[in-house]
């Protein structure tokens, strides 16, 4: 099943959820983006979001950057729910919605499909 959050009408608007990344993290990511020319005017980014600390941290850094950067870019997120009992990313749906970020949530029984392919 797919679900998508409604995007914020203004990407520079403040989200309902307030998370402020550390200055050290913001500085490091900002420097890497500048040094490598990773984001340019009009870019459309889609972040793979697992719900782990790395992807959630990057989401909040990019949201902060989106509000402050001299270039305009859009940001969306995508999660693939593998539909296994050991991993349920569905709590991300209301969280990302509260951030005002477009969210693509895709359910796919990846483990079952992989097992079927491996079994021949």
């Amino acid at each position: 099943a797919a679900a998508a959050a409604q995007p914020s009408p203004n990407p520079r608007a403040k989200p309902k959820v307030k998370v402020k990344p550390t200055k050290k993290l913001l500085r490091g990511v900002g420097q890497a983006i500048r040094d490598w020319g990773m984001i340019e005017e009009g870019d459309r980014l889609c972040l793979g979001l697992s719900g782990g600390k790395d992807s959630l941290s990057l989401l909040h850094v990019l949201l902060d950057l989106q509000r402050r950067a001299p270039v305009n870019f859009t940001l969306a997120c995508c999660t693939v729910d593998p539909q296994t009992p050991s991993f349920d990313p569905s709590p991300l749906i209301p969280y990302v919605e509260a951030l005002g970020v477009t969210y693509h949530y895709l359910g796919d029984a990846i483990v079952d499909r992989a097992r079927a392919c491996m079994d021949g």
Side-chain angles (χ1 to χ4, degrees), residues 52-71:
K53 59 187 174 188
D54 294 337
S55 64
L56 285 170
S57 294
L58 184 54
L59 171 60
H60 288 287
V61 167
L62 289 171
L63 285 170
D64 187 81
L65 181 64
Q66 189 180 45
R67 287 188 291 276
R68 298 183 302 106
V71 297

Side-chain angles (χ1 to χ4, degrees), residues 35-100:
D35 289 352
W36 295 95
M38 293 178 178
I39 300 175
E40 296 178 352
E41 183 69 30
D43 278 355
R44 296 170 36 185
L45 309 181
C46 187
L47 174 65
L49 192 64
S50 67
K53 59 187 174 188
D54 294 337
S55 64
L56 285 170
S57 294
L58 184 54
L59 171 60
H60 288 287
V61 167
L62 289 171
L63 285 170
D64 187 81
L65 181 64
Q66 189 180 45
R67 287 188 291 276
R68 298 183 302 106
V71 297
N72 292 305
F73 64 92
T74 59
L75 177 62
C77 294
C78 179
T79 298
V80 177
D81 179 351
Q83 300 175 344
T84 64
S86 61
F87 179 65
D88 177 16
S90 65
L92 290 170
I93 296 170
Y95 184 79
V96 175
E97 185 176 71
L99 292 172

Side-chain angles (χ1 to χ4, degrees), residues 91-109:
L92 290 170
I93 296 170
Y95 184 79
V96 175
E97 185 176 71
L99 292 172
V101 176
T102 299
Y103 191 39
H104 306 281
Y105 187 91
L106 310 167
D108 190 348

